[in-house]
Amino acid sequence: MKHIAHIHTDFPTKFGIPRQSGLVEELTATIIFEPEYRNADALRGLEGFSHLWLIWEFSKAKRETWSPTVRPPRLGGNRRLGVFATRSPFRPNPVALSCVKLVDLRQTEEHGTVLVVSGADLMDGTPIYDIKPYIPYADAKPDAVGGFTEDADDFILTVNFPEELLKKIPDDRRAALLAVLAHDPRPSYQDDPERIYGMEFAGHDVRFQINEKTLTVCEVE
């Protein structure tokens, strides 16, 4: 299979990326097509859809071997489940699926038509294999059962972000950063109130501590 595009986001590393697509709608990203696929006809009619499916590659999680079981972070990293019962990046084939909101089809001189989307859970530069429209009558399943994910605890945190530090973040990135932090970027098995965590976001290094249900930002560089 060929990569048709790459996505550009505010996450240069994996740490801090939302665990699922759509959790943080404030996050915006840009999809730039490879030169071979910069054909306006390939996007004809896409503007009529509100959401898209992205089929992409776990390009930073490739392994020579695979394991039939993995440890989902939301279960504390201690309980093993079958790889096909999880969305772990460590799979026989490093293929992922995300649902994002289509914000804009933007015309550019350098890259032709690019897609602006929100709610993506991808690292900057991630290659994309395919894009398909989300079709509500077929794709939405209101009665679906969520397996072990329905038993996961509520991980939403209260974020204490001092005003003098928040001002270092560009205005158009603040709401997204606050939402990302509220979803607890840590691996679930880490719970040390003295530890200072660091997360790269939109060109800034954001450092914070978490005590129980409160995240406090202590430094922004």
Side-chain angles (χ1 to χ4, degrees):
M1 293 196 299
K2 296 182 179 180
H3 298 144
I4 65 164
H6 287 76
I7 194 168
H8 294 279
T9 74
D10 287 322
F11 294 98
T13 65
K14 292 182 289 184
F15 188 82
I17 296 177
R19 292 172 176 84
Q20 303 292 340
S21 59
L23 288 182
V24 182
E25 289 287 352
E26 295 88 345
L27 285 173
T28 58
T30 303
I31 297 173
I32 298 178
F33 289 91
E34 294 298 296
E36 181 180 355
Y37 302 103
R38 293 175 189 172
N39 187 323
D41 287 340
L43 301 174
R44 188 185 304 170
L46 194 65
E47 70 280 357
F49 295 90
S50 65
H51 290 74
L52 308 173
W53 288 111
L54 305 182
I55 301 173
W56 51 280
E57 181 185 13
F58 283 118
S59 55
K60 301 299 182 182
K62 294 182 179 180
R63 292 182 174 180
E64 293 298 325
T65 60
W66 71 285
S67 171
T69 61
V70 295
R71 298 176 179 178
R74 280 310 192 201
L75 293 179
N78 297 316
R79 178 181 168 192
R80 285 191 171 274
L81 291 178
V83 64
F84 300 129
T86 76
R87 295 190 177 186
S88 167
F90 303 110
R91 323 182 66 79
N93 292 306
V95 178
L97 180 70
S98 294
C99 182
V100 298
K101 183 177 181 179
L102 178 60
V103 177
D104 191 20
L105 284 82
R106 185 173 298 165
Q107 301 298 322
T108 70
E109 186 173 338
E110 183 178 4
H111 302 297
T113 304
V114 303
L115 306 183
V116 180
V117 299
S118 68
D121 57 340
L122 288 74
M123 189 170 68
D124 185 49
T126 295
I128 295 175
Y129 285 124
D130 203 3
I131 298 171
K132 300 178 185 291
Y134 176 95
I135 303 174
Y137 84 87
D139 295 344
K141 306 296 180 183
D143 298 327
V145 177
F148 73 90
T149 63
E150 295 185 347
D151 297 328
D153 294 332
D154 182 1
F155 290 90
I156 300 299
L157 303 175
T158 298
V159 178
N160 176 19
F161 206 135
E163 187 67 24
E164 65 273 14
L165 296 180
L166 186 59
K167 288 181 179 179
K168 295 183 179 182
I169 305 297
D171 290 350
D172 62 345
R173 295 291 194 275
R174 292 177 187 174
L177 177 56
L178 288 168
V180 167
L181 294 174
H183 277 85
D184 194 350
R186 301 172 301 172
S188 298
Y189 53 82
Q190 294 183 359
D191 188 19
D192 180 359
E194 300 299 321
R195 179 169 180 172
I196 296 179
Y197 300 88
M199 183 183 80
E200 294 184 56
F201 179 83
H204 294 76
D205 185 11
V206 182
R207 298 184 179 278
F208 56 88
Q209 291 178 292
I210 300 177
N211 189 353
E212 296 183 351
K213 286 290 188 178
T214 300
L215 181 150
T216 300
V217 177
C218 49
E219 189 175 3
V220 175
E221 295 181 353

